[in-house]
Amino acid sequence: MKDLWSQPIEKLAPAIRAGRISPVALTEACLDRIAQTDDRLLSFIHVSTTALDAARAAAREIAAGHWRGPLHGIPVGVKDNYLTADMPTTVGSQAPGLAFPMRDAAAVARLRAAGAVPIGKTRTHEFAWGNVTPPVRNPWDLARVPSGSSGGSGAAVAAGLCVAGLGSDTGGSIRMPAAACGVVGLKGTFGRVSRDGVVPHSWSLDHAGPLTRTVTDTALMMQVLSGYDPADPACQDQPVPDFAKSLGRPVKGLTIGVCRNHFFDGLQDDVAAATEAAIDDLAKAGAKVVEFRIPLLEFGLGAIFAIELSSSTAYHDASLRAGRVADFTPDVRTLVEMGRLVTGADYLKAEQYRMALMDEFRKVFAKVDVVVGPTTPITAWKRGEWTVQVAGQPESVLAASWRFTYPYNLTGLPAISVPCGFDRDGLPIGLQIAARPFDEPMVLRVAHAYERRHDWKDRLPVALPAAVPPVPE
Amino acid sequence: MEPDNPIRELLGLDLPPERQAAVVAAYRDILANLEALRSLDLTDVHPAIVFEPTAPYRQKGDAP
């Protein structure tokens, strides 16, 4: 197998189990890739000093016949807002006086128990509050951002610096970098994956989840990450299905919902074309396409701002009162200070709105199996650029980038971003697929059926050519 | 008590004047979205948050 670092879990796992690939060789390949390319990509804030020890332990166990499952020996990047026992956590902040416990978040503990090898901490926008993730660069064009806030994981997975990554998603922070970097990112149903040990941003909007190269890899990661954890007050005691069973099933007979308002407003031309082509594709594969509208979506931005701003400010209240937020980066400082201006009535109105919106989607999902649309209206924008042209009009990247993702944080519905092509500049485009609560299997089924019809997942970022010599067959 | 600075007095946002002005200016962009939200009549809709008095027992594995 050539270029170990470029392979997905679905190909690596059988070879590792059979002894054809050593977890040590795989981890070394990723560490080499980090050493040779991350001076340009800047996706890791910390590289593990114990990863090779973990890989050697995995190799010994597997050689002794104790294969733990598909993640055994797989190097995984951990977003820097997940606590880790063996690596420092900064949540992307250089502000003095902050200290986070040295213990594993529940998701990290689950990955370690499954034999995965945490290879380092990937950069996050400070406190997961943003869509740029400085100083990380997009591996498809180093002059562009990877989006955020899980931009480090998105860039690192896309460029082969780790095989999979952990992200967190409050308004789109898994799915946006997945779309911008050309990888798969899933935010499961709110309550599906424990957030214990993930530094809070907004308690009722935060989701933990994976970024991977393929839909199958996402299913494999979700199998390990999912499950009830009383340490996360929002985690739900729901049965965990066999996610892999949903893969390889046809979409024939399914009903694909397309919400023609909000999700198709103000798209870049190439994003619109790729999305329509993907919908046509699913129709050609035998799915029935039903169009609908949810006018209530028009009011969503105020709701998510009210909840996110006030929650973030409540979390940072001690720092705010002590004047420590002055040491935050300017954009995050403004957002944290601004949350003080949101009234309690606005917050609760937003929570009322959420319930109304959830009910609108409930009615839609009585008639459709999934809702499909673009993940973002724009592709990766240039670093330092704060306004982009969308449908001939200037729009702030902050407003544009999360417009299609935050409705699923407000509703808590499972939603995935899967690559669906490239724009005229060679930048990846993401297709978003959402389903009923706890119906991640349906999301994965449709995403996998779409993915198999194209070779998008087999393309590697052009800005970081293979620098590591291929490993002999 | 600073009646000339209601933001500091009422909201506890203790910032230098120029900083406070910058935060308020940034908030104005968002305020239009909040005003749209306020315009909705959701009188009969229960908020999505639901108080659960047994939560600490559940989290600690104790019977309430």
Side-chain angles (χ1 to χ4, degrees), chain A residues 215-300:
Chain A
V215 175
T216 298
D217 284 11
T218 287
L220 296 172
M221 287 283 283
M222 283 298 287
Q223 202 67 52
V224 167
L225 295 172
S226 301
Y228 180 59
D229 177 9
D232 176 355
C235 202
Q236 289 208 27
D237 194 0
Q238 291 276 338
V240 178
D242 182 347
F243 293 114
K245 279 191 176 168
S246 57
L247 307 175
R249 299 182 61 195
V251 294
K252 188 174 182 181
L254 297 183
T255 303
I256 307 291
V258 179
C259 184
R260 282 295 176 189
N261 72 303
H262 187 84
F263 290 101
F264 286 81
D265 296 342
L267 292 175
Q268 285 178 341
D269 292 346
D270 293 350
V271 175
T275 306
E276 298 298 347
I279 293 166
D280 284 349
D281 224 46
L282 293 168
K284 284 176 189 157
K288 178 184 171 189
V289 176
V290 172
E291 298 192 357
F292 64 93
R293 301 175 72 82
I294 300 181
L296 199 61
L297 283 163
E298 180 188 338
F299 302 90

Coordinates of all heavy atoms in Angstrom, one line a residue, chain A residues 215-300:
Chain A
V215 N -17.0 8.4 4.1 CA -18.2 8.2 4.9 C -18.1 6.9 5.7 O -18.5 6.9 6.9 CB -19.4 8.1 4.0 CG1 -20.7 7.8 4.7 CG2 -19.6 9.5 3.2
T216 N -17.5 5.9 5.2 CA -17.3 4.7 6.0 C -16.4 5.0 7.2 O -16.7 4.5 8.3 CB -16.6 3.6 5.1 OG1 -17.4 3.3 4.0 CG2 -16.3 2.3 5.9
D217 N -15.4 5.8 7.0 CA -14.5 6.1 8.2 C -15.3 6.9 9.2 O -15.1 6.7 10.4 CB -13.4 7.0 7.7 CG -12.3 6.2 7.0 OD1 -12.5 5.0 6.7 OD2 -11.2 6.8 6.8
T218 N -16.3 7.7 8.8 CA -17.1 8.4 9.7 C -18.0 7.4 10.5 O -18.1 7.6 11.7 CB -18.0 9.5 9.0 OG1 -17.2 10.6 8.6 CG2 -19.1 10.0 9.9
A219 N -18.5 6.5 9.8 CA -19.3 5.4 10.5 C -18.5 4.7 11.5 O -18.9 4.4 12.6 CB -19.9 4.5 9.5
L220 N -17.2 4.4 11.2 CA -16.4 3.7 12.1 C -16.0 4.5 13.3 O -16.0 4.0 14.4 CB -15.1 3.2 11.4 CG -15.3 2.2 10.2 CD1 -14.0 2.0 9.4 CD2 -15.8 0.9 10.7
M221 N -15.8 5.8 13.1 CA -15.5 6.7 14.2 C -16.7 6.8 15.1 O -16.6 6.8 16.3 CB -15.1 8.0 13.7 CG -13.6 8.1 13.1 SD -12.3 8.1 14.4 CE -12.4 9.8 14.9
M222 N -17.9 7.0 14.5 CA -19.1 7.2 15.3 C -19.4 6.0 16.1 O -20.0 6.1 17.2 CB -20.3 7.5 14.3 CG -20.3 9.0 13.8 SD -20.4 10.2 15.2 CE -22.1 10.0 15.6
Q223 N -19.1 4.8 15.6 CA -19.4 3.6 16.4 C -18.7 3.6 17.7 O -19.2 3.1 18.7 CB -18.9 2.3 15.5 CG -19.6 1.1 15.9 CD -21.1 1.1 15.6 OE1 -21.5 1.4 14.5 NE2 -21.9 0.9 16.6
V224 N -17.5 4.2 17.7 CA -16.7 4.2 18.9 C -17.1 5.4 19.8 O -17.2 5.3 21.0 CB -15.2 4.3 18.6 CG1 -14.3 4.7 19.8 CG2 -14.7 3.0 18.0
L225 N -17.4 6.5 19.2 CA -17.7 7.8 19.9 C -19.1 7.8 20.5 O -19.3 8.5 21.5 CB -17.5 9.0 19.0 CG -16.1 9.3 18.4 CD1 -16.2 10.4 17.4 CD2 -15.2 9.7 19.5
S226 N -20.0 7.1 19.9 CA -21.4 7.2 20.4 C -21.7 6.4 21.6 O -21.0 5.4 21.9 CB -22.3 6.7 19.3 OG -22.1 7.4 18.1
G227 N -22.7 6.9 22.4 CA -23.1 6.1 23.6 C -23.3 7.0 24.8 O -22.8 8.1 24.9
Y228 N -24.2 6.5 25.6 CA -24.6 7.3 26.8 C -23.4 7.6 27.8 O -22.6 6.7 28.0 CB -25.7 6.6 27.5 CG -26.2 7.4 28.7 CD1 -26.7 8.7 28.6 CD2 -26.2 6.8 30.0 CE1 -27.2 9.4 29.7 CE2 -26.6 7.5 31.1 CZ -27.1 8.8 31.0 OH -27.6 9.5 32.1
D229 N -23.4 8.8 28.3 CA -22.4 9.1 29.3 C -23.1 10.1 30.2 O -23.3 11.2 29.9 CB -21.2 9.8 28.6 CG -20.2 10.3 29.6 OD1 -20.3 9.9 30.8 OD2 -19.2 11.0 29.2
P230 N -23.3 9.6 31.5 CA -24.0 10.5 32.4 C -23.2 11.7 32.8 O -23.7 12.7 33.3 CB -24.2 9.6 33.6 CG -23.3 8.5 33.5 CD -23.0 8.3 32.0
A231 N -21.9 11.7 32.5 CA -21.0 12.9 32.8 C -21.4 14.1 31.9 O -21.0 15.2 32.2 CB -19.6 12.6 32.6
D232 N -22.0 13.9 30.7 CA -22.5 14.9 29.9 C -24.0 15.1 30.1 O -24.8 14.2 29.7 CB -22.2 14.6 28.4 CG -22.8 15.7 27.5 OD1 -23.6 16.6 27.9 OD2 -22.6 15.6 26.3
P233 N -24.5 16.1 30.8 CA -25.9 16.2 31.1 C -26.8 16.1 29.9 O -28.0 15.8 30.1 CB -26.0 17.6 31.8 CG -24.6 17.9 32.2 CD -23.7 17.3 31.2
A234 N -26.3 16.4 28.7 CA -27.2 16.4 27.5 C -27.1 15.1 26.8 O -27.9 14.9 25.9 CB -26.8 17.5 26.6
C235 N -26.3 14.2 27.2 CA -26.1 12.9 26.5 C -27.3 12.1 26.7 O -27.8 12.0 27.9 CB -24.8 12.2 27.0 SG -24.2 11.1 25.8
Q236 N -27.8 11.5 25.7 CA -29.1 10.7 25.8 C -28.8 9.2 25.8 O -27.9 8.7 25.0 CB -30.0 11.1 24.6 CG -30.6 12.5 24.8 CD -31.9 12.6 24.1 OE1 -32.7 11.7 24.0 NE2 -32.2 13.8 23.7
D237 N -29.6 8.5 26.6 CA -29.4 7.0 26.7 C -30.2 6.4 25.6 O -31.3 5.8 25.8 CB -29.9 6.6 28.1 CG -29.4 5.1 28.4 OD1 -28.8 4.6 27.5 OD2 -29.8 4.6 29.4
Q238 N -29.6 6.5 24.4 CA -30.3 5.9 23.2 C -29.5 4.7 22.7 O -28.2 4.7 22.8 CB -30.3 7.0 22.1 CG -31.2 8.1 22.3 CD -32.6 7.8 21.9 OE1 -32.9 7.0 21.1 NE2 -33.6 8.6 22.5
P239 N -30.1 3.7 22.1 CA -29.4 2.6 21.6 C -28.4 3.1 20.5 O -28.8 4.0 19.7 CB -30.4 1.7 21.0 CG -31.7 2.3 21.2 CD -31.6 3.6 21.9
V240 N -27.3 2.5 20.4 CA -26.3 2.8 19.4 C -26.4 1.8 18.3 O -26.1 0.6 18.5 CB -24.9 2.9 19.9 CG1 -23.9 3.2 18.8 CG2 -24.8 3.9 21.0
P241 N -26.8 2.2 17.1 CA -27.0 1.2 16.0 C -25.6 0.8 15.4 O -24.6 1.5 15.7 CB -27.8 2.0 15.0 CG -27.5 3.4 15.2 CD -27.2 3.5 16.7
D242 N -25.6 -0.3 14.6 CA -24.4 -0.6 13.9 C -24.4 0.3 12.7 O -25.1 0.0 11.7 CB -24.5 -2.1 13.5 CG -23.2 -2.6 12.8 OD1 -22.4 -1.7 12.3 OD2 -23.1 -3.8 12.6
F243 N -23.6 1.3 12.8 CA -23.6 2.3 11.7 C -23.1 1.8 10.3 O -23.6 2.2 9.3 CB -22.7 3.5 12.1 CG -23.3 4.3 13.2 CD1 -22.6 4.4 14.5 CD2 -24.4 5.0 13.1 CE1 -23.1 5.1 15.5 CE2 -24.9 5.8 14.2 CZ -24.3 5.8 15.4
A244 N -22.2 0.8 10.4 CA -21.7 0.2 9.1 C -22.8 -0.5 8.4 O -22.7 -0.6 7.1 CB -20.6 -0.7 9.4
K245 N -23.8 -0.9 9.1 CA -24.9 -1.6 8.4 C -25.7 -0.7 7.4 O -26.4 -1.2 6.5 CB -25.9 -2.2 9.4 CG -25.4 -3.6 10.0 CD -26.5 -4.2 10.7 CE -26.0 -5.6 11.2 NZ -27.0 -6.1 12.2
S246 N -25.6 0.6 7.7 CA -26.3 1.5 6.8 C -25.6 1.8 5.5 O -26.1 2.4 4.6 CB -26.6 2.8 7.5 OG -25.4 3.4 8.0
L247 N -24.3 1.4 5.4 CA -23.5 1.6 4.3 C -23.8 0.6 3.2 O -24.0 -0.5 3.4 CB -22.0 1.6 4.6 CG -21.6 2.5 5.8 CD1 -20.2 2.3 6.2 CD2 -21.9 4.0 5.5
G248 N -23.6 1.1 1.9 CA -23.8 0.2 0.8 C -25.2 -0.1 0.4 O -25.5 -0.9 -0.5
R249 N -26.1 0.6 1.1 CA -27.5 0.4 0.8 C -28.0 1.4 -0.2 O -27.5 2.6 -0.2 CB -28.4 0.5 2.0 CG -28.0 -0.6 3.1 CD -28.9 -0.5 4.3 NE -30.3 -0.7 3.9 CZ -31.4 -0.4 4.7 NH1 -31.1 0.1 5.9 NH2 -32.6 -0.7 4.3
P250 N -28.8 1.1 -1.2 CA -29.2 2.0 -2.2 C -30.1 3.1 -1.7 O -30.7 3.0 -0.6 CB -30.0 1.2 -3.2 CG -30.5 0.0 -2.4 CD -29.5 -0.2 -1.3
V251 N -30.2 4.2 -2.5 CA -31.2 5.3 -2.1 C -32.5 5.1 -2.8 O -33.4 5.9 -2.6 CB -30.6 6.7 -2.4 CG1 -29.4 7.0 -1.5 CG2 -30.2 6.8 -3.9
K252 N -32.6 4.1 -3.7 CA -33.8 3.9 -4.4 C -34.9 3.7 -3.4 O -34.8 2.9 -2.5 CB -33.7 2.7 -5.3 CG -34.8 2.5 -6.2 CD -34.6 1.4 -7.2 CE -35.8 1.2 -8.2 NZ -35.7 0.1 -9.1
G253 N -36.0 4.5 -3.6 CA -37.2 4.4 -2.8 C -37.2 5.4 -1.6 O -38.2 5.6 -1.0
L254 N -36.0 6.0 -1.4 CA -36.0 7.0 -0.4 C -36.5 8.4 -0.9 O -36.5 8.6 -2.1 CB -34.5 7.3 0.1 CG -33.8 6.1 0.8 CD1 -32.5 6.5 1.3 CD2 -34.7 5.6 2.0
T255 N -36.9 9.2 0.0 CA -37.4 10.5 -0.4 C -36.4 11.6 0.1 O -36.1 11.6 1.3 CB -38.8 10.8 0.2 OG1 -39.7 9.8 -0.3 CG2 -39.3 12.2 -0.3
I256 N -35.9 12.3 -0.8 CA -34.9 13.4 -0.6 C -35.6 14.7 -0.5 O -36.3 15.1 -1.5 CB -33.8 13.4 -1.7 CG1 -33.2 12.1 -1.9 CG2 -32.8 14.5 -1.4 CD1 -32.4 11.5 -0.9
G257 N -35.6 15.4 0.6 CA -36.2 16.7 0.8 C -35.2 17.8 0.4 O -34.0 17.7 0.8
V258 N -35.7 18.8 -0.3 CA -34.8 19.9 -0.7 C -35.6 21.2 -0.2 O -36.6 21.5 -0.7 CB -34.6 20.0 -2.2 CG1 -33.7 21.2 -2.6 CG2 -33.9 18.7 -2.6
C259 N -35.0 21.9 0.7 CA -35.6 23.1 1.3 C -35.2 24.3 0.4 O -34.0 24.7 0.5 CB -35.2 23.3 2.7 SG -36.0 24.7 3.5
R260 N -36.1 24.8 -0.4 CA -35.7 25.8 -1.4 C -35.6 27.2 -0.8 O -35.1 28.1 -1.5 CB -36.7 25.7 -2.5 CG -36.5 24.6 -3.5 CD -35.1 24.7 -4.2 NE -34.9 23.5 -5.0 CZ -33.7 23.3 -5.6 NH1 -32.7 24.1 -5.5 NH2 -33.5 22.2 -6.3
N261 N -36.1 27.4 0.4 CA -35.8 28.8 0.9 C -34.6 28.6 1.9 O -34.3 27.5 2.4 CB -37.0 29.4 1.6 CG -37.3 28.7 2.9 OD1 -37.6 27.5 2.9 ND2 -37.4 29.5 4.0
H262 N -34.0 29.6 2.3 CA -32.8 29.7 3.2 C -31.6 28.9 2.7 O -30.6 29.5 2.4 CB -33.2 29.2 4.6 CG -32.1 29.4 5.6 ND1 -31.9 30.6 6.2 CD2 -31.1 28.6 6.0 CE1 -30.9 30.5 7.0 NE2 -30.4 29.3 6.9
F263 N -31.7 27.6 2.5 CA -30.6 26.8 2.1 C -30.1 27.0 0.7 O -29.0 26.5 0.3 CB -30.9 25.3 2.3 CG -31.0 24.9 3.8 CD1 -32.3 24.8 4.4 CD2 -29.9 24.7 4.6 CE1 -32.4 24.4 5.7 CE2 -30.0 24.4 5.9 CZ -31.3 24.2 6.5
F264 N -30.9 27.7 -0.1 CA -30.4 28.0 -1.5 C -30.4 29.5 -1.8 O -30.3 29.9 -2.9 CB -31.3 27.2 -2.5 CG -31.1 25.7 -2.5 CD1 -31.6 24.9 -1.6 CD2 -30.2 25.2 -3.5 CE1 -31.3 23.5 -1.5 CE2 -29.9 23.8 -3.5 CZ -30.5 23.0 -2.5
D265 N -30.4 30.3 -0.7 CA -30.3 31.7 -0.9 C -28.9 32.1 -1.0 O -28.0 31.7 -0.1 CB -31.0 32.4 0.3 CG -32.5 32.1 0.4 OD1 -33.1 31.7 -0.6 OD2 -33.0 32.4 1.5
G266 N -28.5 32.9 -2.0 CA -27.2 33.5 -2.0 C -26.1 32.5 -2.1 O -25.2 32.6 -1.3
L267 N -26.1 31.7 -3.1 CA -25.0 30.7 -3.3 C -24.0 31.2 -4.4 O -24.4 31.9 -5.3 CB -25.6 29.4 -3.9 CG -26.5 28.6 -3.0 CD1 -27.0 27.4 -3.8 CD2 -25.7 28.0 -1.9
Q268 N -22.8 30.9 -4.2 CA -21.8 31.0 -5.3 C -22.3 30.1 -6.4 O -22.8 29.0 -6.2 CB -20.4 30.7 -4.8 CG -19.8 31.8 -4.0 CD -18.4 31.4 -3.5 OE1 -18.0 30.3 -3.5 NE2 -17.6 32.5 -3.1
D269 N -22.0 30.5 -7.7 CA -22.5 29.7 -8.8 C -22.1 28.3 -8.8 O -22.8 27.4 -9.1 CB -22.1 30.4 -10.1 CG -22.8 31.8 -10.3 OD1 -23.8 32.0 -9.6 OD2 -22.3 32.5 -11.2
D270 N -20.8 28.1 -8.5 CA -20.2 26.7 -8.6 C -20.8 25.9 -7.5 O -21.0 24.7 -7.7 CB -18.7 26.8 -8.5 CG -18.1 27.4 -9.7 OD1 -18.8 27.7 -10.7 OD2 -16.9 27.7 -9.7
V271 N -21.1 26.5 -6.4 CA -21.7 25.7 -5.3 C -23.1 25.3 -5.6 O -23.5 24.2 -5.4 CB -21.7 26.5 -3.9 CG1 -22.4 25.8 -2.8 CG2 -20.3 26.9 -3.5
A272 N -23.8 26.2 -6.2 CA -25.2 25.9 -6.7 C -25.2 24.8 -7.7 O -26.0 23.9 -7.6 CB -25.8 27.2 -7.3
A273 N -24.3 24.9 -8.7 CA -24.2 23.9 -9.7 C -23.9 22.5 -9.2 O -24.5 21.5 -9.5 CB -23.2 24.3 -10.8
A274 N -22.9 22.5 -8.3 CA -22.5 21.2 -7.7 C -23.6 20.6 -6.8 O -23.8 19.4 -6.8 CB -21.2 21.4 -6.8
T275 N -24.3 21.4 -6.1 CA -25.4 20.9 -5.3 C -26.6 20.4 -6.1 O -27.1 19.3 -5.9 CB -26.0 22.0 -4.4 OG1 -24.8 22.6 -3.6 CG2 -27.0 21.5 -3.4
E276 N -26.9 21.1 -7.2 CA -28.0 20.7 -8.1 C -27.6 19.3 -8.7 O -28.4 18.4 -8.9 CB -28.4 21.7 -9.1 CG -28.9 23.0 -8.5 CD -30.2 22.9 -7.8 OE1 -30.9 21.8 -7.9 OE2 -30.6 23.9 -7.1
A277 N -26.3 19.3 -9.1 CA -25.9 18.0 -9.7 C -26.0 16.9 -8.8 O -26.3 15.7 -9.1 CB -24.4 18.2 -10.2
A278 N -25.7 17.1 -7.5 CA -25.7 16.0 -6.5 C -27.2 15.6 -6.3 O -27.5 14.4 -6.2 CB -25.1 16.5 -5.2
I279 N -28.1 16.6 -6.3 CA -29.5 16.2 -6.1 C -30.0 15.4 -7.3 O -30.7 14.4 -7.2 CB -30.3 17.5 -5.9 CG1 -30.0 18.1 -4.6 CG2 -31.8 17.2 -6.0 CD1 -30.5 19.6 -4.4
D280 N -29.6 15.8 -8.5 CA -29.9 15.1 -9.7 C -29.4 13.6 -9.6 O -30.0 12.7 -10.1 CB -29.3 15.7 -11.0 CG -30.1 17.0 -11.3 OD1 -31.2 17.2 -10.8 OD2 -29.6 17.7 -12.2
D281 N -28.2 13.6 -9.1 CA -27.5 12.3 -9.0 C -28.3 11.3 -8.1 O -28.5 10.1 -8.4 CB -26.2 12.6 -8.3 CG -25.0 11.8 -8.9 OD1 -25.0 11.8 -10.2 OD2 -24.3 11.2 -8.2
L282 N -28.8 11.8 -7.0 CA -29.6 11.0 -6.1 C -30.9 10.6 -6.7 O -31.4 9.5 -6.5 CB -29.8 11.7 -4.7 CG -28.5 12.0 -3.9 CD1 -28.8 12.9 -2.8 CD2 -28.0 10.6 -3.3
A283 N -31.4 11.5 -7.5 CA -32.7 11.2 -8.2 C -32.4 10.1 -9.3 O -33.2 9.2 -9.4 CB -33.2 12.5 -8.9
K284 N -31.3 10.2 -10.0 CA -31.0 9.2 -11.0 C -30.8 7.9 -10.3 O -31.0 6.8 -10.9 CB -29.7 9.6 -11.8 CG -30.0 10.7 -12.8 CD -28.7 11.1 -13.5 CE -28.9 12.4 -14.3 NZ -27.7 13.1 -14.6
A285 N -30.3 7.9 -9.1 CA -30.1 6.6 -8.3 C -31.4 6.1 -7.8 O -31.4 5.0 -7.1 CB -29.1 6.9 -7.2
G286 N -32.5 6.7 -8.1 CA -33.8 6.2 -7.7 C -34.5 6.8 -6.5 O -35.6 6.4 -6.1
A287 N -33.9 7.9 -6.0 CA -34.6 8.6 -4.9 C -35.6 9.5 -5.5 O -35.5 10.1 -6.6 CB -33.6 9.4 -4.1
K288 N -36.7 9.7 -4.7 CA -37.7 10.7 -5.0 C -37.3 12.0 -4.4 O -36.9 12.1 -3.2 CB -39.1 10.2 -4.5 CG -40.2 11.2 -4.8 CD -41.5 10.6 -4.1 CE -42.6 11.6 -4.1 NZ -43.7 11.1 -3.3
V289 N -37.4 13.1 -5.2 CA -37.0 14.4 -4.7 C -38.3 15.3 -4.4 O -39.1 15.4 -5.3 CB -36.1 15.1 -5.7 CG1 -35.7 16.6 -5.2 CG2 -34.8 14.4 -5.8
V290 N -38.4 15.8 -3.2 CA -39.5 16.6 -2.8 C -39.0 18.0 -2.4 O -38.1 18.0 -1.5 CB -40.3 15.9 -1.7 CG1 -41.4 16.9 -1.1 CG2 -40.9 14.6 -2.1
E291 N -39.5 19.0 -3.0 CA -39.1 20.3 -2.5 C -40.1 20.9 -1.5 O -41.3 20.6 -1.6 CB -39.0 21.3 -3.8 CG -37.9 20.8 -4.8 CD -37.6 21.8 -5.8 OE1 -38.2 22.9 -5.8 OE2 -36.7 21.5 -6.6
F292 N -39.6 21.7 -0.6 CA -40.5 22.3 0.4 C -39.8 23.6 0.9 O -38.7 23.9 0.5 CB -40.7 21.3 1.6 CG -39.4 21.0 2.4 CD1 -39.1 21.8 3.5 CD2 -38.5 20.0 1.9 CE1 -37.9 21.5 4.2 CE2 -37.4 19.8 2.6 CZ -37.0 20.5 3.7
R293 N -40.6 24.3 1.7 CA -40.1 25.6 2.3 C -40.3 25.6 3.8 O -41.4 25.1 4.2 CB -40.7 26.8 1.6 CG -40.5 26.8 0.1 CD -41.2 28.0 -0.6 NE -40.7 29.3 -0.2 CZ -39.6 29.8 -0.9 NH1 -39.1 29.2 -1.9 NH2 -39.2 31.0 -0.5
I294 N -39.5 26.2 4.5 CA -39.7 26.5 6.0 C -39.5 28.0 6.2 O -38.4 28.4 6.5 CB -38.8 25.6 6.9 CG1 -39.0 24.2 6.6 CG2 -39.0 26.0 8.3 CD1 -38.1 23.2 7.5
P295 N -40.5 28.8 6.1 CA -40.4 30.2 6.2 C -39.8 30.6 7.5 O -39.1 31.7 7.6 CB -41.8 30.8 6.0 CG -42.5 29.7 5.2 CD -41.9 28.4 5.7
L296 N -40.0 29.8 8.6 CA -39.5 30.2 9.9 C -38.0 30.3 10.0 O -37.4 31.0 10.8 CB -40.0 29.1 10.9 CG -40.0 29.5 12.4 CD1 -40.9 30.7 12.7 CD2 -40.4 28.3 13.3
L297 N -37.3 29.7 9.0 CA -35.8 29.7 9.0 C -35.3 31.2 8.9 O -34.2 31.5 9.3 CB -35.3 28.9 7.8 CG -35.3 27.4 8.0 CD1 -35.1 26.7 6.7 CD2 -34.2 27.0 9.0
E298 N -36.1 32.0 8.4 CA -35.7 33.4 8.2 C -35.3 34.1 9.6 O -34.6 35.1 9.6 CB -36.9 34.2 7.6 CG -36.7 35.7 7.4 CD -38.0 36.4 7.0 OE1 -38.9 35.7 6.5 OE2 -38.1 37.6 7.2
F299 N -35.8 33.5 10.7 CA -35.6 34.1 12.0 C -34.5 33.4 12.8 O -34.3 33.7 13.9 CB -36.9 34.1 12.8 CG -38.0 34.8 12.1 CD1 -38.9 34.1 11.3 CD2 -38.2 36.2 12.3 CE1 -39.9 34.8 10.6 CE2 -39.3 36.8 11.6 CZ -40.1 36.1 10.8
G300 N -33.8 32.5 12.1 CA -32.9 31.7 12.9 C -31.6 32.4 13.3 O -31.1 32.0 14.4

